[in-house]
Amino acid sequence: MNNDYTRYLGVDYGSVRIGLALSDPLKIIANGLMTIQNDNKCLDKILSIIQEQNVEKIIVGKPLNLKGEMGTKAEEVIQFIKRLQERTSVEILQVDERFTSVMAQRSIRTMGTPKKQRQQNKGKVDEVASAILLQGYLDTVKR
């Protein structure tokens, strides 16, 4: 695998939807990729993206509460990571995802997306949250 052309995949896990984002090959900028349904095909879709986009590392949001402790969603995320790790050798890291959804909602509002459109496309929040999560990781690594 040529490291010059690998990418990182950001994952904002949710019970209903999973937001996905990809880094550019230089691992400087995160871009929202898509939102997929959290169903029995989601791992296959993620594995396909890993292969197609030459993903070197997966960054998954760790649901922490305001005190920095594992939240109620934590066990669900841990099980998701275990299932994913059983099917890929790509490194998976967990990062704090506190406030990413709030930041994503603000970002979408700031972009001027009409309220009706925001309500109809809830998946956009998950996609933007995954990009915020991944961008935070990229910024931390570059420091």
Side-chain angles (χ1 to χ4, degrees), residues 1-124:
M1 194 181 289
N2 183 342
N3 280 348
D4 293 343
Y5 300 104
T6 62
R7 298 172 186 264
Y8 292 168
L9 178 69
V11 179
D12 180 52
Y13 179 89
S15 301
V16 177
R17 292 175 304 275
I18 299 172
L20 301 172
L22 272 177
S23 72
D24 66 303
L26 297 176
K27 300 173 191 77
I28 297 170
I29 308 262
N31 290 299
L33 179 63
M34 67 177 67
T35 302
I36 60 173
Q37 291 303 306
N38 186 349
D39 58 20
N40 59 2
K41 297 177 190 152
C42 70
L43 287 180
D44 291 335
K45 290 175 187 167
I46 292 170
L47 293 167
S48 175
I49 291 166
I50 290 168
Q51 180 100 33
E52 290 166 12
Q53 299 294 335
N54 201 17
V55 172
E56 166 190 356
K57 195 178 288 187
I58 304 165
I59 312 304
V60 180
K62 183 193 307 183
L64 300 175
N65 63 25
L66 294 177
K67 294 179 183 175
E69 300 160 344
M70 295 292 265
T72 54
K73 283 273 188 221
E75 190 54 41
E76 217 177 307
V77 173
I78 290 167
Q79 291 308 314
F80 166 77
I81 290 170
K82 283 181 183 173
R83 290 193 319 271
L84 186 57
Q85 196 66 80
E86 286 169 3
R87 298 187 56 192
T88 184
S89 60
V90 173
E91 180 182 8
I92 301 174
L93 297 177
Q94 294 180 53
V95 298
D96 183 353
E97 70 168 18
R98 283 181 286 184
F99 311 116
T100 55
S101 291
V102 172
M103 290 167 64
Q105 289 168 342
R106 282 189 190 142
S107 176
I108 290 168
R109 268 196 309 271
T110 303
M111 290 187 301
T113 308
K115 185 175 183 177
K116 186 173 184 175
Q117 196 176 339
R118 290 193 312 259
Q119 290 169 335
Q120 289 172 340
N121 189 2
K122 290 184 178 9
K124 190 68 178 170

